[in-house]
Amino acid sequence: MTLLTDTSLEPFIALLKTQRRHSVLNVCCGPGDDGVRFVQAGIHYTGVDPFDGNVRYAVARRLSVSVAQPDRLPFADNTFPAVWAVESLTGLTADQADDVVRELERVAEPGAPIAVVLP
């Protein structure tokens, strides 16, 4: 896992391009604002969010997004070359946060950059 200290999207996109990573999973994607920016940067985008309203809005923006909880992602192990998770740990206990982080690591390819952005 790569540790990032700058939590804005632009440096993360630049990192993905530098490392030739062409796909990203966005956990707790909300209405898809970051998804639009990933797509505009030429990065294949998959998003998940626990709230159906956010998912409907993101899908209306022509993004590939589905409903999922961040601690139970519906993907196989080692699927994504990068993971972007904004506020996915907000309001969680330490044990719950550990579960989410383990899940992010599970679906990421070995050595993939994982950005967990806190509020």
Side-chain angles (χ1 to χ4, degrees):
M1 174 169 49
T2 302
L3 176 64
L4 303 175
T5 56
D6 187 332
T7 57
S8 61
L9 185 57
E10 290 76 21
F12 190 69
I13 288 174
L15 174 71
L16 298 187
K17 289 181 169 278
T18 299
Q19 294 184 357
R20 291 189 165 83
R21 297 181 184 272
H22 305 289
S23 181
V24 65
L25 171 64
N26 185 184
V27 178
C28 295
C29 67
D33 295 341
D34 290 347
V36 169
R37 292 167 60 198
F38 279 116
V39 170
Q40 288 171 340
I43 297 169
H44 182 267
Y45 177 82
T46 302
V48 296
D49 195 272
F51 301 107
D52 186 58
N54 283 339
V55 170
R56 282 195 312 269
Y57 189 85
V59 168
R61 298 173 91 178
R62 305 185 76 153
L63 296 171
S64 176
V65 178
S66 58
V67 175
Q69 296 296 322
D71 63 341
R72 292 185 308 277
L73 299 171
F75 306 107
D77 295 357
N78 306 320
T79 299
F80 294 96
V83 178
W84 177 252
V86 176
E87 298 189 24
S88 60
L89 304 180
T90 301
L92 301 180
T93 66
D95 287 341
Q96 291 169 324
D98 286 347
D99 291 343
V100 171
V101 170
R102 274 193 292 281
E103 190 67 352
L104 299 178
E105 290 176 328
R106 181 188 69 76
V107 300
E109 293 176 351
I114 300 172
V116 178
V117 181
L118 302 173

